[in-house]
Amino acid sequence: MNLKAILQSMRMRMGTTVATPESDPQRYFGSLLYMPNPDPILRAMGQADKVYAGILADPHVMGEVRSIRGSFRSNDYRLLAGAQNDAKAAAALELCQTWMANTRPNTIADWSEVMWQMSSSVLTGYKVHELVWDYMDGKYLPSQVIDRPGRRFRFNAHAAPLLISKTAFVGEPVEPYQFVISRHMATSDNPYGLALLSSCFWPWTFKTGGWRYFVKYCERHGLPWPIGRYPAGTGDAEIDKLEEALGSMMEAGYLVMQQDNGVELLEPKLGGSGALPQEDLIKLCNKEMSKALTSQAMIGEQLDVGSRAASDTAKDRQGEVHDADRDIAAESMGEIFKWITRFNFGDGVAAPTLDFYLHKAAGKERAEVYALAARMGANPSRRALLEELDIPQAADAQDTLALLPALSSGAAAGAYLPAQKGLDFSVSRRGADITNFLGEDEAVDLTCLAADQALEDNTIAPIYKMLVQFEQSGKSLSDFKTALEGIVGTLDDAALRDVVRQALLYSATAGAALLD
């Protein structure tokens, strides 16, 4: 076909679809009413809510879910304007901010909990929230945002929700502004989304069965078996008495018998690793469920000893997964903002968006960057430094924290080593007065005190503690010497190195000032 014919055909088909669900030969008749949940396990059982509740009741699963929830709620949120330099977009932002600040979504949850419910659609595939609209202060706003059970909804072939009720058991269509649907990895073939708890079904089932056999094993083999031996030719009456005595022994814990008779305890062998097979099965199932819920099992189950790099990688990976989960809540809240903006400002106005962020104050390294910049002649902002370190400004001179020129007892070594008295970071090093620095003798004394404290806290104290423990347990000096060789390589000398670093920094800075 030439270009002219292609363009003519395209104009005739503009706005139409071809590969529609109605034309799919594999599900044509089913699409007339609703699309069943394609999850093979839940579709076969027909009891998704009960299965999910059972899996969530598992202690390991609940621990992982609480960790995910804690990570979600550790983030703050804020609303951002949908467009810059747009008066209507700014007004929509202010309206949505005021609405969230003055409205509680429902009687049992706050906004953070509602957004967690939206994000937790990763567990069940989808979550539904109903919007109850009211006319408040001249604006159309939702007065309530209420979570609804997933069993009340189905989806048709076009992924539109169908509300199940007493009068519409198959489901009836609803208005798009009435419900907000949060979905996890939904597709046209699966508008119900992928449920992580469904991936936990088989490990949870095997684990539950493993617990049953584990309990049976402990009941049968948890205690040693008492075996009574009797000489050949012993009568049945004597054997019965011995058997009765052994039975009583299980309850009483002791046994009285003749000198010639004997009793021994037989303990079951657990194999080379010493672990029960049921225990290994349960650990394996927990590990598999951790993979499904958090995308890795290193944090959920420390079954093997790994390197620090592997642990950091696992934490970073888990953080990325949690960020993706928060995106679901942000998108669902953005859907509500779109309806609020459209109802009150009309079409074509950019709706606000919701952004999650983690407020984290800067640490010591960042403060040292400011100090280094000031000593190099820059003019860094004192206010910016305090804001980044999350340290409030003093209200007055009485509220100002003075730097004490001495070490506090029991404090971390090096933490109270003052660099300069009254040093103003707003002036360059060339213009600094030598009187701003400590005297050389005083600085040396303070450095020595800090070094002594660091040695005492991080070297002498651990060795002394170990020596006392060895003496109380009756071990010899040779045992102590052997153990000391093992602990020397693991002593914490970070505090001492920090004191030396501060002393060298002071010496270099003071020397440079003297040269100027």
Side-chain angles (χ1 to χ4, degrees), residues 65-76:
V65 172
R66 281 175 55 84
S67 175
I68 298 172
R69 183 177 181 274
S71 174
F72 178 87
R73 293 191 65 116
S74 66
N75 282 253
D76 295 325

Side-chain angles (χ1 to χ4, degrees), residues 199-343:
S199 301
C200 297
F201 177 78
W202 287 118
W204 171 73
T205 302
F206 293 141
K207 176 187 176 181
T208 304
W211 271 116
R212 182 160 60 93
Y213 289 106
F214 201 178
V215 172
K216 279 188 176 182
Y217 183 93
C218 293
E219 290 177 347
R220 181 177 301 174
H221 304 289
L223 295 175
W225 287 31
I227 299 177
R229 301 186 181 276
Y230 53 87
T234 303
D236 293 340
E238 293 295 327
I239 295 176
D240 292 341
K241 288 182 179 180
L242 177 59
E243 182 179 358
E244 183 179 355
L246 292 177
S248 301
M249 175 185 173
M250 300 300 296
E251 298 293 337
Y254 64 92
L255 177 65
V256 178
M257 58 186 308
Q258 296 178 358
Q259 183 177 1
D260 295 336
N261 295 333
V263 174
E264 62 182 274
L265 299 178
L266 179 62
E267 297 184 4
K269 300 291 185 180
L270 298 180
S273 63
L276 296 175
Q278 296 89 340
E279 184 179 3
D280 289 338
L281 174 63
I282 291 171
K283 288 182 178 180
L284 176 61
C285 292
N286 284 342
K287 189 174 182 179
E288 292 301 305
M289 289 190 290
S290 291
K291 288 180 182 178
L293 295 173
T294 64
S295 80
Q296 48 81 34
M298 181 172 291
I299 298 176
E301 280 290 338
Q302 290 288 352
L303 300 180
D304 301 312
V305 178
S307 65
R308 179 175 180 180
S311 177
D312 292 341
T313 302
K315 290 180 180 180
D316 292 341
R317 182 178 179 182
Q318 190 176 32
E320 293 172 355
V321 172
H322 292 173
D323 289 340
D325 296 345
R326 279 186 285 269
D327 290 341
I328 299 176
E331 181 65 25
S332 297
M333 292 299 298
E335 193 70 19
I336 300 177
F337 298 152
K338 289 178 182 178
W339 287 113
I340 293 176
T341 302
R342 185 177 183 184
F343 288 162

Side-chain angles (χ1 to χ4, degrees), residues 35-57 120-121 123-127 149-155 164 190 192-201 204-205:
M35 181 185 295
N37 193 328
D39 189 312
I41 298 174
L42 302 181
R43 182 174 58 193
M45 300 184 66
Q47 297 179 341
D49 290 343
K50 292 183 180 180
V51 174
Y52 290 154
I55 297 176
L56 276 174
S120 66
S121 60
L123 302 177
T124 57
Y126 68 99
K127 286 283 188 178
R151 56 182 169 78
R152 294 292 309 278
F153 294 87
R154 289 182 173 135
F155 298 94
I164 301 173
N190 182 15
Y192 294 84
L194 293 180
L196 297 184
L197 292 180
S198 178
S199 301
C200 297
F201 177 78
W204 171 73
T205 302

Side-chain angles (χ1 to χ4, degrees), residues 466-467 470-471 474-484:
M466 187 178 71
L467 181 61
F470 271 55
E471 182 181 4
K475 294 185 179 180
S476 65
L477 188 60
S478 177
D479 295 333
F480 174 76
K481 180 180 179 181
T482 303
L484 183 61

Side-chain angles (χ1 to χ4, degrees), residues 36-113:
N37 193 328
D39 189 312
I41 298 174
L42 302 181
R43 182 174 58 193
M45 300 184 66
Q47 297 179 341
D49 290 343
K50 292 183 180 180
V51 174
Y52 290 154
I55 297 176
L56 276 174
D58 182 86
H60 181 82
V61 174
M62 179 55 67
E64 295 285 27
V65 172
R66 281 175 55 84
S67 175
I68 298 172
R69 183 177 181 274
S71 174
F72 178 87
R73 293 191 65 116
S74 66
N75 282 253
D76 295 325
Y77 62 88
R78 58 195 169 197
L79 273 63
L80 304 177
Q84 299 296 328
N85 302 322
D86 187 330
K88 288 189 175 181
L93 172 64
E94 184 179 359
L95 176 60
C96 292
Q97 289 175 331
T98 304
W99 168 65
M100 290 192 69
N102 299 334
T103 305
R104 184 178 177 86
N106 56 70
T107 57
I108 61 175
D110 57 10
W111 283 116
S112 294
E113 186 63 23

